[in-house]
């Protein structure tokens, strides 16, 4: 008989082994899925994981890697802070959209003026927009004890409606021949967020993400606020005993993760995407949830997980065009990663025992 | 006379721990037999084997001269063995009769059952109304539900695990009368306790366990409490030393404290008032669930009160949060160690930081943590309070209850507090650790702190308190000097025998 036995202390080995084993399990299960779809599994996995890094077109894909990883990491760090405190922001996608719309609105309000302060102002507005969207579920939870998971998720759909309104209405490009979509912010010099070093994919958003990784690590390991976050998540009553104000914690965590998601949104719309269009969002806010857990809610882990997840995005797209793999298969592949990770996390606190025996 | 239950060479080993080794003793019909030992001496494992919850590794048992090896509690009950646990297994939202029915294999119709409950409760002097909701009952009444549930099965052997820990002295007297009546009818009782005077007055024989082994058996009436304690602990215990110093100014004042409980089925605090002076120890007695948890939360700052209800060092602290109250010199140690006083998965260093950050200067500029100093603080607690652990890097949950309690009390006392509030400081702690915790509390008082000890252990309170009060239904009796108080007076302060009035009214 198999049974699980609680460990006296959480295993440090499994903390970091679980994501690695989860990636391997995903490759095996994903390979089986690709085989069932009639594709050569080895070739599919090679296309996803190998080609973008070392294949013929690697010179192009490697730059894409940072472009995709930047927003994922930025959002995931904010989410991880909340998740560690037991505050579940599922609506980063909405905060990302609102950040982009508000930031773009502020930036385009100056069109066609040229001032140095327009770009920083737009970035700030994006962060504030995302923060506001994140604070809605926070305030509702603090005032009315609503569930922040539901409220933040529902606000994603509200945000998508606002995005459509912006793209078709108040932000529509007056010179765009009535096509939906705003002016291109990356072609408006005052708001452009270009590659800083050509071909690397490094733009201001990626730089911000790297700084946030460093700050996040510093806060979680060295600062009182990080300690309070971990305490609130692990032992809420002990946190209250220690003097942590749970309501304040909800406001800060949701506000912070909203602001970071908003930053990711405004950096995206001023850079790689350029245009506020109805299909502007591509799911970074949801994928960042996987990134946060895959990275063990640890800033450095999130950086690595963000790069890995960016790789599956790029490789998945490449496999879709090259091998005709349906894009849903690639999404299922990413979902498997989270599934295996959560399953393997059991081993962090429990160990597997063979044979019978009675627990007392 | 032949023995009812005979146990020979019983043993049980868990990975790394020998819970019981070569335990042998016998119980005669109608005998009240005590199982005496400290926490962790192996009493619980032994009775769990008798009740079929744990299977022994070695040894055998005979019941009624027949081999007895229950594989589950149902088999034990079928053989006539019943058990009343220390922690009750009752549903608060259901009535007494419904709870009793849930514990039976084939419950009779509710009307018949209620009549039988009323009859048994009358026969054995255990007043209880079958129609009342368990959530509204006192701890003593809840225990009666458990006992009556057992008695309805007409047991031959009744196991009682620490039955008096939640009772007032008057309720203890009622329980003992019931147990003696049962014994006179030929029911054997296995009585587990570490309270020596109770065992001396109640039990016919005693088996004393230490570290899982039988170290002695005796007739408790022939021994003094001191001799029993020595057999139980293995060495002589010294009573805490007290230096009756001069009492200073009032350090903690509570006036008209009324507060709704944040806990489901909790007890609201009603107009509580007391004052504790520097150097004074106030003992607050009471049966669990009479407002102890709420009082601690209101004093520690986890619950805030209207202005003027709590004053620390003369300053109004009603609206202050725990950190701000610590700044004024008040420290607190809640009853529940894991999850409230300490975070289970965090290291001792992190747990030292949990409440010691402010007063021990573990915070640097801009709110950054001084991990080095936090580790030193944790090591200091471990050394000063003899906490048995591999080191400050160990997770709190890896410590035994007693060791974690020493760590928690030590963490608070080493912050040079001016006011100390502790709830159940020695609950589940072995005798020598309990003695050192009490000594530390007295030492802190001698150094000029006002100390409030909330406890259910009357002996403990009488040993260390200067003044004494009791919580009953969220109200606090007026504090009185502890010297010269009799157990009867204390019992009345604790509310006498809960539920007696109700039973008389319905009788």
């Amino acid at each position: 008989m198999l049974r699980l036995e609680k460990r006296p202390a959480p295993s440090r080995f499994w903390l970091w082994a679980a994501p690695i084993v989860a990636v391997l399990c995903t490759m095996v299960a994903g390979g089986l899925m690709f085989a069932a779809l009639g594709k050569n599994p080895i070739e599919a996995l090679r296309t996803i994981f190998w080609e973008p890094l070392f294949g013929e077109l690697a010179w192009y894909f490697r730059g894409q890697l940072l472009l995709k990883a930047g927003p994922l990491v930025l959002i995931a760090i904010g989410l991880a802070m909340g998740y560690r405190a037991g505050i579940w922001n599922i609506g980063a996608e909405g905060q990302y959209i609102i950040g982009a719309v508000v930031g773009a609105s502020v930036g385009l309000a100056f069109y066609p003026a040229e001032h140095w302060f327009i770009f920083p102002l737009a970035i700030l507005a994006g962060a504030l927009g995302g923060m506001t969207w994140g604070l809605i579920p926070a305030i509702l939870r603090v005032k009315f004890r609503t569930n922040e998971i539901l409220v933040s998720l529902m606000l994603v759909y509200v945000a998508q409606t606002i995005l459509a309104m912006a793209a078709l209405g108040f932000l529509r490009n007056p010179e765009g021949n009535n096509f939906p979509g705003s002016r291109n912010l990356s072609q408006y010099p005052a708001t452009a967020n270009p590659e800083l070093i050509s071909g690397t994919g490094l733009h201001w958003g990626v730089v911000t993400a790297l700084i946030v990784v460093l700050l996040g690590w510093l806060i979680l390991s060295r600062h009182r606020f990080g300690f309070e976050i971990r305490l609130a998540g692990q032992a809420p009553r002990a946190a209250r005993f220690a003097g942590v104000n749970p309501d304040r914690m909800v406001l800060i965590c949701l506000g912070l993760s909203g602001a970071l998601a908003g930053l990711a949104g405004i950096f995206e719309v001023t850079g790689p995407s350029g245009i506020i269009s109805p299909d502007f969002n591509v799911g970074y806010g949801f994928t960042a949830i996987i990134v946060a857990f895959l990275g063990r809610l640890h800033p450095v882990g999130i950086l690595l997980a963000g790069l890995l997840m960016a790789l599956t995005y790029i490789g998945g797209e490449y496999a879709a065009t090259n091998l005709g793999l349906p894009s849903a298969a690639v999404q299922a592949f990413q979902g498997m990663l989270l599934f295996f990770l959560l399953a393997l996390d059991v081993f962090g606190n429990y160990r597997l025992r063979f044979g019978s025996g009675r627990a007392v | 006379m032949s023995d009812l239950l005979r146990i020979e060479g019983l043993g049980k080993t868990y990975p790394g721990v020998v819970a019981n080794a070569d335990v042998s003793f016998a119980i005669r019909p109608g005998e009240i037999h005590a199982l005496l030992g400290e926490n962790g001496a192996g009493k619980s494992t032994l009775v769990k084997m008798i009740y079929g919850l744990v299977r022994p590794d070695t040894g055998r048992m005979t019941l009624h001269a027949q081999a007895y090896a229950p594989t589950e509690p149902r088999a034990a009950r079928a053989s006539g063995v019943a058990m009343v646990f220390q922690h009750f297994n009752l549903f608060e939202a259901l009535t007494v009769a419904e709870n009793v029915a849930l514990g039976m294999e084939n419950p009779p119709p509710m009307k018949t059952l209620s009549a039988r409950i009323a009859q048994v409760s009358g026969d054995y002097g255990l007043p209880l109304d079958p129609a009342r909701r368990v959530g509204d009952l006192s701890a003593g009444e809840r225990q009666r539900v458990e006992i009556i549930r057992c008695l309805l099965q007409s047991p031959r052997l009744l196991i009682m695990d620490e039955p008096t820990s939640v009772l007032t002295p008057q309720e203890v007297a009622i329980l003992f009368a019931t147990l003696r009546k049962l014994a006179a009818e030929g029911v054997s009782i296995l009585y587990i306790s570490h309270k020596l005077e109770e065992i001396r007055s109640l039990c016919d024989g005693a088996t004393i366990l230490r570290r899982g082994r039988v170290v002695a058996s005796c007739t408790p009436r022939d021994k003094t409490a001191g001799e029993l304690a020595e057999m139980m602990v293995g060495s002589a215990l010294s009573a805490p030393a007290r230096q009756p110093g001069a009492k200073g100014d009032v350090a903690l004042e509570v006036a008209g404290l009324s507060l709704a409980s944040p806990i489901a089925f909790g007890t609201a605090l009603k107009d509580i008032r007391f004052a504790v002076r520097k150097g004074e120890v106030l003992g607050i007695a009471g049966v669990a669930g009479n407002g102890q948890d709420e009082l601690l939360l209101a004093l520690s700052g986890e619950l805030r009160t209207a202005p003027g209800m709590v004053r620390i060092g003369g300053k109004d602290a009603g609206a202050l949060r725990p950190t701000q109250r610590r700044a004024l010199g008040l420290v607190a140690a809640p009853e529940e160690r894991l999850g409230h006083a300490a975070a289970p998965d965090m290291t001792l260093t992190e747990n030292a930081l949990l409440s010691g950050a402010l007063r021990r200067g573990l915070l640097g500029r801009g709110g950054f943590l001084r991990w080095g100093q936090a580790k030193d603080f944790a090591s200091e607690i471990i050394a000063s309070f003899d906490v048995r652990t591999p080191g400050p890097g160990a997770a709190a949950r890896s410590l035994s209850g007693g060791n974690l309690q020493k760590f928690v009390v030590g963490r608070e006392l080493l912050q040079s507090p001016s006011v100390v509030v502790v709830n159940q400081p020695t609950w589940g702690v072995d005798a020598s650790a309990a003695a050192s915790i009490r000594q530390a509390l007295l030492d802190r008082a001698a150094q000029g702190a006002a100390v409030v000890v909330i406890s259910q252990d009357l002996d403990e309170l009488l040993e260390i308190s200067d003044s004494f009060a009791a919580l009953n239904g969220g109200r606090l009796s007026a504090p009185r000097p502890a010297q010269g108080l009799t157990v009867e007076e204390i019992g009345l302060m604790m509310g006498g025998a809960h539920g007696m009035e109700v039973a008389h009214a319905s009788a």
Side-chain angles (χ1 to χ4, degrees):
Chain A
M1 193 176 83
L2 284 176
R3 68 196 167 86
L4 289 170
E5 184 180 281
K6 196 162 167 83
R7 293 174 191 272
S11 158
R12 292 199 65 78
F13 170 77
W14 272 103
L15 184 67
W16 292 102
I20 295 165
V21 180
V23 169
L24 295 177
C25 288
T26 307
M27 286 187 175
V28 173
L32 289 174
M33 178 178 73
F34 296 145
L37 288 168
K39 311 290 173 195
N40 178 348
I42 305 292
E43 199 191 342
L45 289 175
R46 191 186 135 82
T47 311
I48 295 174
F49 288 102
W50 183 266
E51 289 293 329
L53 289 177
F54 308 106
E56 275 173 72
L57 294 169
W59 58 271
Y60 168 74
F61 286 129
R62 283 184 198 163
Q64 290 284 303
L65 205 58
L66 282 184
L67 275 186
K68 302 267 185 200
L72 286 175
V73 170
L74 204 51
I75 300 170
I77 298 268
L79 294 181
M81 295 265 189
Y83 293 171
R84 286 211 173 201
I87 296 160
W88 305 102
N89 179 6
I90 305 299
E93 184 80 1
Q95 294 140 20
Y96 171 86
I97 292 172
I98 296 297
V101 170
V102 172
S105 303
V106 168
L108 289 175
F110 291 93
Y111 188 86
E114 287 296 335
H115 290 291
W116 64 268
F117 61 80
I118 296 176
F119 181 64
L121 196 67
I123 298 300
L124 188 70
L128 287 176
M131 185 170 89
T132 310
W133 214 244
L135 280 175
I136 296 173
I139 291 169
L140 289 176
R141 170 166 161 177
V142 169
K143 290 280 172 209
F144 303 109
R145 301 288 148 202
T146 57
N147 180 318
E148 79 277 13
I149 299 176
L150 292 175
V151 176
S152 65
L153 180 62
M154 291 304 163
L155 282 172
V156 173
Y157 304 108
V158 178
Q160 275 171 342
T161 309
I162 293 177
L163 175 69
M165 275 169 59
L168 302 172
F170 62 88
L171 281 185
R172 191 169 60 183
N173 185 356
E175 293 150 26
N177 301 320
N178 264 342
F179 279 103
S182 69
R183 288 183 196 277
N184 193 321
L185 285 97
S186 63
Q187 284 167 13
Y188 168 34
T191 58
N193 172 26
E195 266 186 309
L196 298 174
I197 305 166
S198 179
T200 55
L202 189 78
H203 62 62
W204 284 115
V206 178
V207 173
T208 310
L210 292 172
I211 294 172
V212 166
V213 166
L214 194 68
L215 285 179
W217 173 77
L218 211 59
I219 287 174
L220 278 176
S221 63
R222 296 290 154 88
H223 197 271
R224 174 187 180 169
F225 178 62
F227 178 72
E228 290 183 348
I229 281 180
R230 291 190 289 130
L231 195 57
Q234 291 185 18
R237 290 180 63 211
R240 276 196 288 277
F241 172 67
V244 177
N245 180 342
D247 287 347
R248 202 169 133 250
M249 188 64 80
V250 170
L251 292 171
I252 293 179
C253 283
L254 280 168
L256 181 74
S257 55
L260 290 178
L263 273 180
I266 183 63
F267 280 125
E268 189 70 13
V269 77
T270 52
S273 146
I275 295 172
I276 290 281
S277 62
D279 54 0
F280 162 72
N281 60 312
V282 290
Y284 283 139
F286 290 122
T287 311
I289 298 171
I290 307 179
V291 171
F293 280 106
L294 195 63
R296 314 275 65 188
L297 307 181
H298 186 290
V300 176
I302 285 171
L303 180 62
L304 298 175
L307 289 169
L308 177 72
M309 199 52 84
L311 185 63
T312 65
Y313 260 116
I314 297 162
E317 264 171 45
Y318 188 51
T321 48
N322 256 19
L323 305 176
L325 215 54
S327 63
V330 176
Q331 283 170 15
F333 187 73
Q334 290 174 344
M336 278 180 202
L337 198 53
L338 184 64
F339 172 82
F340 281 115
L341 181 74
L342 294 179
L344 285 163
D345 264 348
V346 169
F347 295 113
N349 274 317
Y350 296 87
R351 71 178 120 226
L352 205 57
R353 289 268 179 200
F354 297 91
S356 69
R358 299 182 75 160
V360 173
Chain B
M1 206 193 289
S2 66
D3 294 322
L4 175 83
L5 176 71
R6 176 176 285 279
I7 287 172
E8 286 165 294
L10 222 52
K12 176 74 193 175
T13 306
Y14 293 111
V17 192
V18 178
N20 283 124
D22 196 24
V23 174
S24 305
F25 67 94
I27 306 174
R28 283 175 284 110
E31 178 188 357
I32 304 183
H33 191 96
L35 205 52
L36 185 63
E38 286 196 84
N39 288 295
K43 293 171 298 188
S44 295
T45 307
L46 183 58
V47 295
K48 280 179 183 162
M49 290 193 283
I50 299 173
Y51 194 55
L53 280 166
V54 173
R55 213 173 303 182
D57 297 334
T58 58
R60 59 200 191 93
M61 298 184 272
T62 45
L63 188 74
H64 300 300
Q66 285 174 339
Y68 172 66
T71 51
E72 52 175 351
R74 197 193 311 217
R77 285 198 294 268
S79 308
V81 176
M83 179 161 173
V84 176
F85 289 90
Q86 186 180 6
H87 300 284
F88 308 141
N89 302 303
L90 297 172
F91 293 94
E92 295 191 322
L94 300 182
T95 66
V96 169
E98 285 165 340
N99 266 290
V100 170
L102 277 173
M104 300 176 82
E105 307 292 340
N106 298 304
M110 212 42 91
K111 215 175 152 185
T112 327
L113 186 63
S114 293
R116 284 187 60 196
I117 291 171
Q119 192 202 340
V120 172
S121 98
D123 286 353
Y124 291 96
L126 294 171
L128 194 63
D129 178 356
R132 281 185 73 198
R133 217 163 52 114
V134 167
D136 301 327
L137 299 184
S138 74
E141 290 169 305
R142 288 177 197 212
Q143 186 182 57
R144 284 175 212 159
V145 180
E146 294 272 8
I147 295 175
I148 286 173
R149 185 193 269 176
C150 290
L151 293 185
L152 286 174
Q153 306 160 21
S154 320
R156 303 308 307 153
L157 173 68
L158 182 62
I159 304 172
M160 305 217 58
D161 188 4
E162 304 263 357
T164 59
S165 58
V166 295
L167 303 184
T168 65
Q170 278 81 354
E171 286 174 324
V172 170
I174 296 175
L175 174 69
F176 281 10
T178 305
L179 294 182
R180 288 197 183 99
K181 192 167 193 301
L182 280 168
E185 291 173 6
V187 177
S188 307
I189 293 160
L190 185 58
Y191 187 90
I192 299 154
S193 181
H194 58 251
K195 293 188 179 171
L196 308 168
E197 286 302 340
E198 285 180 1
I199 286 176
R200 289 190 62 236
S201 75
L202 181 72
C203 300
D204 309 310
T207 298
I208 295 150
L209 289 180
R210 191 164 72 225
R211 295 200 186 126
R213 292 169 186 277
V214 175
V215 291
S217 46
C218 64
T219 306
R221 285 189 197 93
D222 301 342
K223 303 281 177 193
T224 67
E227 286 169 332
L228 288 174
E230 238 168 87
M231 286 192 263
M232 183 167 91
V233 181
S235 60
L237 281 178
S238 53
R242 306 189 62 174
Q243 300 137 335
K247 307 290 179 253
D249 303 333
V250 169
L252 173 69
E253 190 181 0
V254 173
L257 169 60
S258 298
L259 199 62
S261 173
I263 308 161
F265 287 107
T267 308
L269 299 178
K270 298 169 194 99
D271 195 30
I272 286 181
R273 47 187 75 236
F274 64 85
V276 195
R277 288 136 65 95
K278 289 178 182 163
E280 180 184 353
V281 179
L282 170 67
I284 296 184
V287 169
N290 273 293
Q292 286 91 337
D293 293 341
E294 290 82 358
L295 180 60
L296 183 116
L297 294 176
L299 292 178
S300 74
E302 288 163 81
L303 289 178
R304 277 161 296 286
T305 65
M309 286 183 181
V310 178
R311 306 181 82 85
I312 300 167
K315 290 197 181 66
D316 184 3
L320 299 186
R321 295 189 154 272
T323 327
Q324 296 163 309
R325 295 195 191 192
R326 282 188 194 113
L328 289 179
L330 179 141
V331 300
E335 173 185 359
E336 195 187 332
R337 294 177 281 256
L338 276 181
H340 194 185
D345 286 331
M346 285 192 167
T347 65
L348 293 182
T349 299
E350 289 171 305
N351 273 298
L353 196 68
L354 195 150
S355 77
L358 182 77
R359 293 189 70 80
R360 292 290 304 223
L362 306 179
L363 285 178
R365 282 157 55 103
F368 282 91
L369 302 168
R370 297 179 163 160
W371 281 118
Q373 273 98 323
K375 194 178 167 197
D376 293 345
F377 180 38
S379 305
E380 185 188 335
I381 301 168
I382 291 168
S384 319
F385 282 79
D386 188 28
V387 180
R388 310 278 165 81
T389 169
R397 80 171 191 218
S398 71
L399 269 66
S400 73
N403 274 311
L404 187 56
Q405 183 69 21
K406 285 195 276 188
F407 183 85
V408 166
V409 172
R411 177 183 70 190
E412 303 305 331
L413 292 183
L414 286 177
Q415 296 179 35
S416 36
S418 56
V419 180
V420 180
V421 183
V422 289
N423 187 8
Q424 297 275 55
T426 61
W427 189 82
V429 175
D430 66 55
S432 55
S436 70
I437 287 173
R438 287 178 199 134
Q439 187 64 57
L441 289 169
L442 286 175
D443 289 348
R444 191 60 222 161
Q447 287 160 23
V451 178
V452 178
V453 179
I454 305 170
S455 177
Q456 292 179 56
D457 186 338
L458 290 182
D459 299 334
E460 167 172 281
L461 290 177
L462 289 175
E463 197 173 281
I464 65 173
S465 307
D466 298 304
S467 47
F468 187 95
L471 262 178
N472 178 23
R475 292 178 196 281
L476 189 74
S477 67
R480 297 169 57 174
Q483 223 161 14
L485 274 182
T486 65
V487 171
E488 277 64 39
E489 286 172 310
I490 292 171
L492 290 175
M493 287 165 90
M494 287 165 71
H498 288 272
M500 288 294 279
E501 309 79 16
V502 178
H504 286 304
S506 64

